[in-house]
Every structure is written in structure tokens, then in C-alpha cells.
Amino acid sequence: MVLKITNYSQDLLSALDQLDRWPEKVRLMQKNWIGRSEGLLLRFALDPKTVPTTESELEVFTTRPDTLFGAKFMAVAPIIYSPSRPRRK
């Protein structure tokens, strides 16, 4: 079983507001640590001539979609999860 804290991020953030005896500085640090981000998932089409797998898209998350207008390329780390390749444990 995998326990993903991100599944509970909204509950954790909401509960922080009820901790009125905690200093504001500590609550802010906790909010930043939980790190829930608002943004968009985007899919970029891949050129089949340059992709070593059968992937056709690259999905990315961004909190700043306004900066994507001028995107010319994307760099991908060599150790990346791919639906066609299972994750290492």
C-alpha cells in the first residue's frame, strides 16, 4: 500500500486554519511544506521521428501557463516515469 500525503493536502491545509494557538509563522511554514499548487496539466505532442518509445505526448504541470507562449523546447531527465515503463521500487 502506498500512502500519498498529497491525497490529503486540502484537508491538511483546511485544518491549519483551526490551529489558532500555533504561531502564524509556523502555520505559514506548514502551508508551504504541504505545497498544494494550483495550475494546469498540459500535453505537448511529440515528434514520432525523435521519440525512442511509442509515446505520443509529454504531459507537464505548470503553475505559470502564461509563460508557455514562447516555449521552444523541453528538456527531459533521462530517469523519467513512463506509462510504458514501470517505476522502480
Side-chain angles (χ1 to χ4, degrees):
M1 180 174 101
V2 175
L3 179 63
K4 290 176 55 180
I5 196 167
T6 53
N7 291 346
Y8 306 99
S9 62
Q10 188 56 54
D11 292 337
L12 292 168
L13 287 169
S14 297
L16 282 174
D17 294 333
Q18 299 170 14
L19 300 173
D20 54 358
R21 293 174 55 191
W22 281 26
E24 182 58 33
K25 183 177 177 180
V26 173
R27 286 188 282 174
L28 180 60
M29 286 190 296
Q30 288 296 310
K31 285 179 183 178
N32 291 336
W33 180 81
I34 293 168
R36 185 174 158 267
S37 295
E38 303 265 335
L40 295 173
L41 274 175
L42 301 164
R43 293 185 182 145
F44 289 91
L46 299 174
D47 183 350
K49 295 178 287 196
T50 63
V51 180
T53 66
T54 58
E55 304 293 333
S56 61
E57 298 177 326
L58 176 64
E59 187 175 80
V60 298
F61 175 81
T62 181
T63 58
R64 295 288 313 272
D66 57 312
T67 63
L68 293 172
F69 180 73
K72 301 284 185 223
F73 71 94
M74 285 186 216
V76 180
I79 304 171
I80 186 167
Y81 166 74
S82 168
S84 61
R85 189 179 85 215
R87 292 181 191 226
R88 286 192 238 160
K89 291 187 178 189

